[in-house]
Amino acid sequence: GQQVMQIPQYQHVQEGEDFTTYCNSSTTLSNIQWYKQRPGGHPVFLIQLVKSGEVKKQKRLTFQFGEAKKNSSLHITATQTTDVGTYFCAGDFGNEKLTFGTGTRLTIIP
Amino acid sequence: EAEVAQSPRYKITEKSQAVAFWCDPISGHATLYWYRQILGQGPELLVQFQDESVVDDSQLPKDRFSAERLKGVDSTLKIQPAELGDSAMYLCASSFLESSPLHFGNGTRLTVT
């Protein structure tokens, strides 16, 4: 079936260090969305990428969509304790149904 | 900001019992989703509604799970009988359009004993 793989599964970083999570699909995506889930919370929408090679920024967060629309990344510059949580990518394979990745759990060491 | 309402927040039930979850989406959102999230994993789609119609229930275990959205507004997800493996977070989400970002409720954490 259509799957979205996400790596790494866990990431522990010192506060102030950068963080990156990667999302990969074996087939072309029509769009990809990113969500953040705080511990004990529910997923919250961050951004949607639609165009090949698209790059979007939200303050310290940079989102990229690959040229082939099969991969995406989320990069956080200078992490803060408020960045703690699990980051999920969710891909749309053109059927307007989202398939969520396995998530990357980010913990921050103060 | 408008939110997706879900109840109950927590539910503990014994196996073989029936359990039901309720969801009220954001007003005006035609698309409603029920997801199941097992601890440490991403949400998995169980059923998707467009107004009152089911558009995808391919991953819904229909022998024990049922979902309805009779008037195209709020929705109920039922499990009967519950099994130990059903323990998970059940998340409801809604969106304005099928391709729009999802707005999730706080979820119902189900524990089956």
Side-chain angles (χ1 to χ4, degrees):
Chain A
Q2 293 167 327
Q3 290 185 325
V4 175
M5 304 304 295
Q6 202 171 341
I7 57 170
Q9 188 174 2
Y10 302 96
Q11 187 77 56
H12 312 284
V13 300
Q14 289 276 354
E15 187 175 8
E17 291 183 341
D18 292 356
F19 159 78
T20 305
T21 174
Y22 301 91
C23 191
N24 293 285
S25 168
S26 58
T27 56
T28 302
L29 299 166
S30 63
N31 71 82
I32 194 160
Q33 298 178 20
W34 285 91
Y35 291 79
K36 176 184 178 181
Q37 186 171 22
R38 294 181 181 274
H42 58 275
V44 175
F45 172 77
L46 294 176
I47 210 157
Q48 181 177 35
L49 304 172
V50 180
K51 299 177 182 178
S52 169
E54 189 170 16
V55 178
K56 287 188 176 180
K57 294 189 176 183
Q58 289 179 351
K59 298 182 180 178
R60 295 179 294 105
L61 279 60
T62 301
F63 304 84
Q64 294 188 344
F65 202 8
E67 293 291 340
K69 299 182 72 173
K70 290 184 178 181
N71 57 77
S72 181
S73 65
L74 158 59
H75 180 82
I76 302 178
T77 303
T79 55
Q80 300 175 359
T81 55
T82 54
D83 296 325
V84 164
T86 301
Y87 293 85
F88 292 98
C89 62
D92 181 347
F93 290 93
N95 56 2
E96 296 183 324
K97 295 171 181 50
L98 288 180
T99 299
F100 279 79
T102 48
T104 296
R105 183 176 176 181
L106 172 64
T107 56
I108 307 289
I109 305 167
Chain B
E1 182 178 315
E3 296 182 344
V4 175
Q6 282 190 253
S7 66
R9 187 77 174 90
Y10 303 93
K11 181 69 178 180
I12 301 174
T13 191
E14 295 182 347
K15 63 180 181 179
S16 80
Q17 296 298 304
V19 64
F21 315 129
W22 176 80
C23 172
D24 191 12
I26 292 173
S27 178
H29 281 195
T31 312
L32 184 147
Y33 312 78
W34 283 101
Y35 281 87
R36 177 171 59 188
Q37 185 176 28
I38 296 169
L39 195 62
Q41 299 182 18
E44 295 178 284
L45 180 66
L46 292 174
V47 62
Q48 178 180 340
F49 289 92
Q50 183 67 26
D51 297 312
E52 68 277 6
S53 300
V54 174
V55 296
D56 186 354
D57 63 356
S58 57
Q59 300 304 310
L60 188 71
K62 298 181 189 62
D63 56 336
R64 298 184 301 107
F65 286 63
S66 64
E68 61 183 17
R69 193 185 183 196
L70 294 177
K71 296 183 179 179
V73 181
D74 59 336
S75 176
T76 302
L77 178 69
K78 296 179 181 178
I79 308 175
Q80 182 174 17
E83 296 181 352
L84 295 176
D86 296 332
S87 294
M89 175 74 83
Y90 289 82
L91 293 162
C92 179
S94 69
S95 65
F96 183 65
L97 298 172
E98 283 189 279
S99 57
S100 300
L102 304 183
H103 297 260
F104 283 88
N106 288 325
T108 296
R109 180 164 295 282
L110 173 67
T111 302
V112 182
T113 61

